[in-house]
């Protein structure tokens, strides 16, 4: 882990070797294979009966893959061209769920990695720092009270996440912050926003809205379709692009504030801007997949243990590992209990909770990077 090496050693290693290594390439290829395999498993099961071979043929159907009208319908909401029944089921119902899982996994992983660098706290994540609950409250309020704002969910979630993060920083600030105070402040803000979320249910008079909200609060990909892909894809691309561009600045932040300032960095400005990118990335995922707990905590650690602490490699690794783990977790959530589908947030919570405890007990400095 990065925490087990001195900052100076890590910095020297980064200068001596390029960020593009064989390990990174193999890691990305392996993650891509896992994503594809898990995606194929996902599209092979459903209420409409078809064999696994028929489902896979539908995925590779050239009449859909190479059809500009079909992609116009998928990505821009145009009229769906005529296609066979298997292709309609796979491409219009099952595959969008995989694409939403890919988007949510990538953005949550990238968001968690940024928060860990900005706070220099390896226990940081959108969930732990209260960003998820703040964004969740904003989205839930939109679904229950201000339904007219539904097309702008990623930006509504970003506003809620920003408010929550500013509250956490304000509570934790006392001549600076520390990893312990940030985590404790995140717990406080989480509790407040979760209470507000529960209070919103009293304003919902539609049972369907209540059921949707409950599923969404636990982090669920059930019922997601091309509408969610269209809502999330552009903000996701923007957030990921900005995150990759900021990877060098994240490396400098890990050297410490004094060193970063001596290198000419305006630390607070960079920290604020990168936090905004992390909030946008987390909000994209929350707006389409709900509150998927602990995902942004676990994935950066898996990547860091494999690829090291250089954020140029870490961000690329998160971009591939996040989708692989999210799609796999969603397959487990869908198939674990036979006909009953679990919310994917339940699966990630069952994995992330014990992992969070493991990190807290292992690190003497409570996760300080």
């Amino acid at each position: 882990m990065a925490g087990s090496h001195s900052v100076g050693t890590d910095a020297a290693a980064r200068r001596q070797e390029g960020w593009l290594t064989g390990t990174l390439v193999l890691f990305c290829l392996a993650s891509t294979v896992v994503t594809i395999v898990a995606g194929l498993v996902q599209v092979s099961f459903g209420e409409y009966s078809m064999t696994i071979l028929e489902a896979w043929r539908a995925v590779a159907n050239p009449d859909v893959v190479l059809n500009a009208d079909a992609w116009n319908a998928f990505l821009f909401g145009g009229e769906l061209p005529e296609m066979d029944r298997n292709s309609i089921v796979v491409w219009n119902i099952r595959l969008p769920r995989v694409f939403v899982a890919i988007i949510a996994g990538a953005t949550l992983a990238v968001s968690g990695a940024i928060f860990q660098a900005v706070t220099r706290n390896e226990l940081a994540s959108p969930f732990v720092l209260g960003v998820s609950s703040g964004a969740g409250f904003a989205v839930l309020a939109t679904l229950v009270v201000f339904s007219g704002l539904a097309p702008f969910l990623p930006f509504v979630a970003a506003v809620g996440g920003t408010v929550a993060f500013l509250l956490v920083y304000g509570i934790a600030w006392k001549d600076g912050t520390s990893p312990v105070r940030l985590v404790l402040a995140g717990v406080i803000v989480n509790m407040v926003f979760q209470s507000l979320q529960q209070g919103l249910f009293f304003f919902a008079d539609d049972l369907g809205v209540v059921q949707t909200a409950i599923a969404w609060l636990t982090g669920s990909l059930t019922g997601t379709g091309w509408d969610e892909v269209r809502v999330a894809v552009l903000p996701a691309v923007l957030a990921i692009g900005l995150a990759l561009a900021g990877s060098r600045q994240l490396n400098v932040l890990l050297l410490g504030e004094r060193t970063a300032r001596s290198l000419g960095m305006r630390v607070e400005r960079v920290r604020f801007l990168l936090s905004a990118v992390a909030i946008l990335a987390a909000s994209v995922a929350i707006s389409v997949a709900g509150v998927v707990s602990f995902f942004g905590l676990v994935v950066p650690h898996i990547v860091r243990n494999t690829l090291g602490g250089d954020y140029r490699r870490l961000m690329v690794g998160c971009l591939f590992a996040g989708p692989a783990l999210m799609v796999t977790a969603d397959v487990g959530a869908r198939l674990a209990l036979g006909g009953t589908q679990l919310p994917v947030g339940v699966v990630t919570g069952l994995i992330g909770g014990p992992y969070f405890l493991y990190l807290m007990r292992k690190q003497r400095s409570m996760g300080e990077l």
Side-chain angles (χ1 to χ4, degrees), residues 66-74 78-81:
L66 303 179
N67 190 330
D69 292 334
W71 286 105
N72 178 65
F74 297 149
E79 184 177 351
L80 194 67

Side-chain angles (χ1 to χ4, degrees), residues 176-189:
T177 60
S178 72
V180 175
R181 288 205 297 269
L182 283 169
V183 171
L184 293 177
V187 171
I188 294 169
V189 172

Side-chain angles (χ1 to χ4, degrees), residues 92-277:
N92 211 37
I93 298 175
R94 297 181 183 176
L95 265 180
R97 177 170 178 162
V98 177
F99 292 143
V100 172
I102 290 172
I103 293 171
T107 51
L108 280 177
V110 165
S111 176
I114 293 175
F115 277 128
Q116 289 172 13
V118 166
T119 62
R120 298 191 69 205
N121 180 359
E122 65 176 358
L123 301 182
S125 74
F127 184 79
V128 173
L129 291 178
V131 173
S132 292
S133 58
F137 170 73
V139 173
L140 186 59
T142 301
L143 294 174
V144 175
V145 183
F146 307 107
S147 57
L149 296 176
F152 306 100
L153 279 183
F155 304 101
V156 171
V159 171
T162 301
V163 170
F165 187 69
L166 291 176
L167 285 174
V168 169
Y169 238 84
I171 294 171
W173 187 270
K174 186 178 180 182
D175 297 326
T177 60
S178 72
V180 175
R181 288 205 297 269
L182 283 169
V183 171
L184 293 177
V187 171
I188 294 169
V189 172
N190 256 320
M191 292 174 61
V192 171
F193 276 109
Q194 286 175 4
S195 297
L196 292 174
Q197 289 172 5
Q198 294 170 3
L200 281 176
F201 285 110
F202 288 99
F203 296 94
D205 52 6
D206 186 339
L207 181 60
V209 172
V210 172
Q211 291 176 334
T212 300
I214 291 173
W216 180 85
L217 284 174
T218 54
S220 177
L221 296 171
T222 303
T224 53
W226 285 109
D227 286 340
E228 285 73 20
V229 175
R230 287 191 287 268
V231 164
V233 65
L234 289 180
V237 170
L238 174 62
I240 290 170
L242 292 173
L244 292 174
S247 59
R248 290 180 179 273
Q249 285 71 29
L250 291 169
N251 276 335
V252 176
L253 282 177
L254 288 178
L255 298 175
E257 289 190 16
R258 183 176 299 178
T259 303
R261 286 195 175 94
S262 70
L263 294 174
M265 173 179 283
R266 300 174 65 178
V267 174
E268 295 303 329
R269 179 180 180 182
V270 171
R271 181 177 287 160
F272 178 81
L273 292 175
L274 289 172
S275 296
V277 173

Side-chain angles (χ1 to χ4, degrees), residues 297-348:
L297 171 71
V298 173
V299 176
H301 279 282
I302 294 174
V303 178
R304 187 179 289 113
N305 289 338
T306 306
L307 301 178
D310 188 333
Y311 261 74
R312 293 172 298 176
R313 289 196 293 267
L314 184 64
M315 298 301 282
V316 175
C318 285
L319 189 58
F320 284 85
L325 293 176
M326 182 67 80
V327 177
T328 302
D330 190 41
V331 170
R334 185 178 183 183
L335 302 181
L337 299 180
T340 303
Q341 295 191 38
L342 289 172
V344 68
V346 172
V347 176
T348 59

